Amino acid sequence: MHTLLAFVVAGVSGLVLGCSSAPSAREAAEGGMPDGGGSTSDAAPPEHDATAPPAHDAAAPPAHDAALPANDGGACPSDACSSSPADAGTVTSLEGGGEGGPSTWNLPTDMTVVCRTGPVTSASAGFSMPAGGSIDFGGPVPCVWTRNGGNGSIGLSSAASNPDGSPNTDVQPSGYRVMFPAGQVNDAAWDMYFDHAGGTGSYYIGWKQRWQPRGSFSALLSALDSGDSKAWAPKGPAGGDLTIMSFMGSGNLPVIGLDFQGVDDHDIPDVNQTGGSGTIPVTSAMTLPAALADQGAWDQEEILITSTGAVATSSVSLYVNGQLAGTATGVTNATAWTATEQYLSRSIYSGTETTTTYTDIDEVTVAVK
C-alpha cells in the first residue's frame, strides 16, 4: 500500500525560519522524526509503500465543535455552486490578486470554512511568521499553524531571498515557499498543523501549488529523488488517517490523489492498479499539467469528501484546475476531521535527496461539515 504522499518577509531582511533535523520532544517520544526519518536505508520497496505521518499531540476539540455554524460567507455565492460534487464546479474565487491560473473553486455552499488564506503575502491581514513561533498566513478566515517538525525551511515566494538564504530568482506575486534540502533521507521538509471544528465526516481542501522550474516532470522527480510527494494529512477519530498528495506518480504522469490509511487503506485513484473497491481508475483528467511540464506554472487542486453519515457510503471527488476529474464512491470515511496537517514530504524510502529544490503553495481553503 502506498503513502504518497528562512522565512524572509519582503522588506525585512534576514528573517529565516528553518527547522533542524533533530527530533522534537514529540518526535522523540514517538521514536524519531515523522515518516521514518531515522532510516538510512536506500532500498526501495514497491512504489508508494509507506507509513502515514504520525498524529500530532493535540487536545481533542470540545464536543460542541461537531455542531457547525452556517457558512461564513467566504465560500461562494449561494447561486454559484452546488453541494453535489457533480455540479459544484462554478464557484468564482473571491480572494482576488494571486498568481493567476484558474479562478473557479468547487467548495459547496453548505460547508463551514475553517481556514482561508487567500493569496499569501506579508501584507495579508493578520499575517505573522515569527522565528520559532506559530504561523498565521492571515487572509479572510485565518488559521494559526503549529510547527511540528521538518528539516527544511519556509518563507514567502515573493521575498528577495529564498527560505534557505539563497537569492530568489523565481519571485512570485504571492504564496509561501518550502525548501526540500539535499542530503535528507525520507524526513518531512516541513510539518505543521492547526486544530479545527470536526464536522461529521465531510471535508474539503483546495490549494494552488507549483514546483521550482526544471523543464520536465522527469527532472522534478530526479531533483526530489522520489516518484511522488505528500502535501496534507487531515486527522480525525475512527478512520481519520488520510494523506493527500502534492502529486502521485502514475507511470510518467503526475496525478492528483490521496491515500486512506485507516479502515479502507487504499489509493484514490488506483495508481497501483489493484482493481479494488472504493477507488477509481486513473484517467487523463487527473493529470496535473503544470507539474507535468514543470516550467513554473501553478496547478489548482481540490479534494472533497462528502459523507452520508453511514459506513462505506461516502464519496471522494478530485478537481484539477477547477474541473471535476473523478469521484470515487463507497469509501469508508472518518466520523470527523478535527485537524489539518501540512506534511510536505517525499515518499518514504526514496533514498537520499541529492538536489535542493522547493515548492510554492497559495490560496489554501479548508472546510468541514
Side-chain angles (χ1 to χ4, degrees):
M1 191 43 226
H2 105 243
T3 296
L4 308 170
L5 218 297
F7 212 101
V8 183
V9 179
V12 182
S13 64
L15 178 57
V16 178
L17 303 186
C19 184
S20 73
S21 59
S24 66
R26 166 187 167 274
E27 292 151 359
E30 292 176 347
M33 289 290 289
D35 208 12
S39 170
T40 58
S41 172
D42 289 350
E47 186 179 7
H48 308 312
D49 188 3
T51 55
H56 65 76
D57 297 331
H64 70 263
D65 280 351
L68 299 174
N71 197 308
D72 63 2
C76 58
S78 60
D79 60 349
C81 63
S82 164
S83 59
S84 170
D87 59 0
T90 56
V91 185
T92 300
S93 174
L94 302 180
E95 284 89 15
E99 66 295 308
S103 59
T104 58
W105 297 88
N106 296 279
L107 173 62
T109 55
D110 60 352
M111 297 190 76
T112 297
V113 176
V114 294
C115 181
R116 183 189 288 278
T117 69
V120 177
T121 70
S122 60
S124 300
F127 175 86
S128 176
M129 226 178 225
S134 297
I135 295 175
D136 186 346
F137 294 116
V141 185
C143 47
V144 178
W145 299 80
T146 299
R147 297 178 204 180
N148 209 30
N151 53 47
S153 51
I154 188 170
L156 285 176
S157 309
S158 56
S161 298
N162 285 319
D164 63 357
S166 60
N168 183 1
T169 59
D170 184 25
V171 173
Q172 297 297 302
S174 63
Y176 60 95
R177 179 164 296 174
V178 169
M179 307 298 294
F180 287 68
Q184 301 300 322
V185 181
N186 305 330
D187 297 336
W190 197 257
D191 183 3
M192 60 186 180
Y193 69 90
F194 78 100
D195 296 310
H196 51 72
T200 57
S202 292
Y203 179 88
Y204 168 92
I205 187 165
W207 75 101
K208 291 182 178 180
Q209 187 166 2
R210 67 186 289 273
W211 292 86
Q212 178 179 7
R214 293 188 175 275
S216 69
F217 181 52
S218 61
L220 171 61
L221 298 184
S222 177
L224 289 172
D225 192 23
S226 178
D228 49 35
S229 185
K230 308 171 190 177
W232 311 97
K235 300 295 183 183
D241 194 356
L242 173 63
T243 299
I244 294 173
M245 304 299 293
S246 297
F247 64 87
M248 295 165 64
S250 177
N252 60 352
L253 297 175
V255 299
I256 189 172
L258 54 89
D259 176 38
F260 273 95
Q261 295 168 310
V263 178
D264 276 8
D265 193 22
H266 65 239
D267 307 321
I268 302 173
D270 190 12
V271 291
N272 288 331
Q273 301 180 6
T274 65
S277 62
T279 187
I280 47 179
V282 177
T283 68
S284 59
M286 299 169 189
T287 301
L288 299 168
L292 180 62
D294 196 30
Q295 296 177 344
W298 292 80
D299 282 315
Q300 177 179 304
E301 303 184 56
E302 299 170 86
I303 304 290
L304 174 62
I305 301 173
T306 305
S307 174
T308 63
V311 174
T313 58
S314 295
S315 65
V316 177
S317 296
L318 312 174
Y319 297 87
V320 174
N321 294 329
Q323 301 300 311
L324 180 65
T327 297
T329 59
V331 178
T332 302
N333 185 31
T335 57
W337 298 98
T338 56
T340 296
E341 184 173 11
Q342 171 126 75
Y343 195 80
L344 285 166
S345 174
R346 306 173 303 141
S347 277
I348 195 170
Y349 307 131
S350 294
T352 302
E353 185 171 356
T354 58
T355 304
T356 295
T357 191
Y358 58 78
T359 189
D360 294 330
I361 293 178
D362 203 10
E363 295 195 44
V364 178
T365 297
V366 179
V368 295
K369 177 184 175 185

